[in-house]
Amino acid sequence: MLHSLWRARPAFIAAVLAVVLLGCSSVHADSSDNSIDVQLPPVLLQMIRDDAVQKELKLTVSQKSQTLAALGSVDPRWWLARQMQAGPLAIELASLTLMLRTELATFLTPAQQKRLAELERQAVGTRMVLRDDVAAELTITDAQRDTLVAAFKQTDASAAQLQSELAKGQLDATESQSKLDAVKAAERQSIVDVLSEAQKLGLAKLSGPAFDFSQVRRTYPLAPEMEDRGVTWIQGGPLKLEELRGKVVAVHFYAFQCINCQRNFPHYDGWHRDFADRGLVVIGIQTPETSAERDLKKVASAVASDGFEFPVVMDASSTNWAAWGNTMWPSVYLIDKQGFIRRWWQGEMNWQGTEGEQQMRETIEMLLKE
């Protein structure tokens, strides 16, 4: 039963085997060696924004609106939290999850809250046994917990090693996936070996009916709104992202003298040329790095010479840069029709043969069809 319970959720619970870009919370457990951090993805933050999950919960139109309002309060902090170190990040994620859960409880019915809790447990996958509610319900012993933590720690180490080997070209994608599947199978088996039969049955009951997490597409925060302070629109503005609901938006940060940025310019021009009529809005945010890039006339001249036909804003005081928690030039973010970030790319998209532009273009196509 345990094997079938966790078999078919690769699109969502891959986060269980590596640190999610937007962070994981930490479960601390005392073992005979030391205190071990086991990473749990922030599944409530991730899942509640998705259409498939909201449909599963049978949210009303009013409840969907209230959910969006609740996300508007937590998402700016969650998005910026991705820059934090592990310790402060775990504290921030726990705070944001509690804030969101408390707000959801004010308008979700008891039945909806129960189903949401089941979905959270399923989304965590094998590591749901470390959640306080599950551990208490199943009466997980300290010895069982220590054994499981050790197994999960080994999974994390193995997954990190596979990631490193894949990045260095020491493994191809097929071989890496095969080894990762073996690591996940070993983790599942550790649960089977450690839990009693009664605990296994209780775990299945706590999970509720299986939900197909491969349906889940929206797991990142709402995009930060365009800032007005210290900005000058060179052309096409002023714009607010809220006013662009129903359109797909590509926001790219650049500095006009940055050679890496310049190599991405033809891609942005191509997106505008190919997709503007279908509902894509490209917005350039010129955040200066050099003194010349702080000169409004030079920025405007560069916009013209680079052939940008889409809206461009001069972010002289870096207020938009700060709101996005941006860290490098160039960076580009794709935002869906409901205002949620769906994908981003930092650096040159086709650096050393990388097919980044094609991948981003495919995502734009997908978002336009939604």
Side-chain angles (χ1 to χ4, degrees), residues 166-340:
L166 181 63
K168 294 176 182 178
Q170 297 171 348
L171 292 175
D172 61 28
T174 300
E175 186 178 8
S176 177
Q177 185 60 52
S178 176
K179 290 187 175 183
L180 184 59
D181 288 343
V183 168
K184 291 190 288 185
E187 180 169 294
R188 289 194 296 270
Q189 187 60 46
S190 70
I191 303 290
V192 174
D193 293 341
V194 169
L195 298 186
S196 69
E197 290 303 317
Q199 288 173 324
K200 294 172 191 175
L201 291 173
L203 194 59
K205 183 178 179 180
L206 287 172
S207 301
F211 175 73
D212 181 8
F213 278 93
S214 67
Q215 305 173 75
V216 175
R217 296 174 177 267
R218 189 174 291 111
T219 59
Y220 295 138
L222 285 162
E225 186 52 272
M226 299 295 297
E227 292 283 345
D228 296 324
R229 296 174 292 108
V231 307
T232 303
W233 285 88
I234 305 296
Q235 61 186 27
L239 294 176
K240 287 290 186 181
L241 295 181
E242 187 174 5
E243 298 169 351
L244 298 176
R245 297 290 190 264
K247 294 182 179 294
V248 177
V249 182
V251 173
H252 75 89
F253 286 86
Y254 78 102
F256 77 83
Q257 291 184 321
C258 161
I259 184 61
N260 305 97
C261 299
Q262 293 170 10
R263 289 172 180 155
N264 277 355
F265 289 170
H267 306 318
Y268 310 141
D269 290 334
W271 296 350
H272 174 73
R273 181 178 59 252
D274 296 341
F275 299 120
D277 289 345
R278 293 173 54 187
L280 175 71
V281 177
V282 179
I283 300 175
I285 301 180
Q286 210 276 172
T287 306
E289 182 179 19
T290 67
S291 57
E293 290 161 351
R294 298 183 183 280
D295 187 317
L296 184 60
K297 290 184 179 179
K298 291 181 179 179
V299 173
S301 177
V303 167
S305 62
D306 289 324
F308 292 170
E309 296 181 352
F310 46 78
V312 177
V313 61
M314 168 70 162
D315 188 29
S317 299
S318 300
T319 52
N320 283 285
W321 180 280
W324 280 80
N326 206 52
T327 59
M328 67 180 295
W329 298 268
S331 294
V332 57
Y333 304 86
L334 299 181
I335 305 165
D336 70 15
K337 295 176 182 179
Q338 293 189 36
F340 291 92

Side-chain angles (χ1 to χ4, degrees), residues 344-363:
W344 62 94
W345 194 279
Q346 294 180 300
E348 292 182 35
M349 282 182 279
N350 289 348
W351 174 254
Q352 295 184 340
T354 303
E355 296 181 350
E357 193 277 335
Q358 181 59 35
Q359 294 172 22
M360 295 290 277
R361 180 175 282 263
E362 290 171 356
T363 300

